Amino acid sequence: MQEQLHGKHRFSGTMTALVTPFLGNGIDYAAFDHLVEWQIDQGIDGLVLNTLIAEGPTLKTEERRSLISRCVHLTRGRIPVIAATGTNSTATTCERTIEAEQLGADAVLIVQPYYSRPSQKGVIHHFKEAAKRVQSADFPSQRSASYRCGNQPLHSEYTFADSERGRSC
């Protein structure tokens, strides 16, 4: 269920990390459209696109864009559309975050940088840089339980609120 709260979305309920169906060498857009409508018909509260389960990191730029804009068009505001935009590169994450917002996503989902394993300050920088670029979409974050900085887990005190924008990361 999606509610408006001071111009921001308040997310609740169950949201599906939607798979990306393929046919031959490309995306099966008819199957994608069917999945979106089926999820809505079944009462899902939101859709999350371009995640790891959806082959997000391996999608071509145009495929990623197409899935976001197509889903936004198909849902017509009935449920929120959240686009996973996080990568191990802060610059790429920022670009994808801006792009998802421009394509109409209600929110973006950012992951901690993977592979490079930055320090805790580096992780904070990654989220802050992406948060600076978000104008209207909400900004939930995905925290991997297995993420560690060196041999230490990322501490909860490093979760921050961007007071200028009122966004929590």
Side-chain angles (χ1 to χ4, degrees), residues 8-162:
K8 295 181 187 177
H9 297 286
R10 192 164 133 191
F11 300 104
S12 63
T14 303
M15 298 190 187
T16 299
L18 199 62
V19 298
T20 303
F22 289 93
L23 181 63
N25 291 328
I27 294 174
D28 184 343
Y29 288 105
F32 179 80
D33 295 355
H34 175 76
L35 283 172
V36 170
E37 290 299 336
W38 186 84
Q39 289 286 325
I40 292 171
D41 289 347
Q42 298 306 307
I44 202 67
D45 297 304
L47 294 172
V48 186
L49 305 176
N50 302 337
T51 61
L52 290 174
I53 198 161
E55 304 289 340
T58 62
L59 292 173
K60 296 174 187 163
T61 300
E62 192 48 48
E63 291 173 329
R64 191 180 61 256
R65 289 177 183 156
S66 180
L67 289 172
I68 295 169
S69 62
R70 191 174 196 99
C71 191
V72 167
H73 175 76
L74 288 167
T75 59
R76 297 183 305 278
R78 295 177 285 172
I79 58 171
V81 174
I82 300 171
T85 60
T87 71
N88 65 318
S89 162
T90 301
T92 302
T93 296
C94 291
E95 290 168 8
R96 289 183 180 183
T97 298
I98 292 166
E99 172 185 272
E101 183 176 39
Q102 290 171 345
L103 292 169
D106 296 299
V108 294
L109 182 65
I110 309 291
V111 295
Q112 297 168 2
Y114 43 90
Y115 301 128
S116 57
R117 305 281 185 170
S119 67
Q120 293 185 9
K121 286 182 182 180
V123 171
I124 292 168
H125 172 77
H126 179 77
F127 283 112
K128 281 187 175 181
E129 287 302 306
K132 284 181 197 176
R133 279 125 177 113
V134 177
Q135 300 300 314
S136 61
D138 285 313
F139 190 86
S141 61
Q142 180 178 350
R143 186 166 166 224
S144 169
S146 65
Y147 184 83
R148 301 178 82 74
C149 294
N151 62 356
Q152 298 296 315
L154 184 65
H155 297 291
S156 59
E157 64 263 24
Y158 287 99
T159 301
F160 65 91
D162 181 4

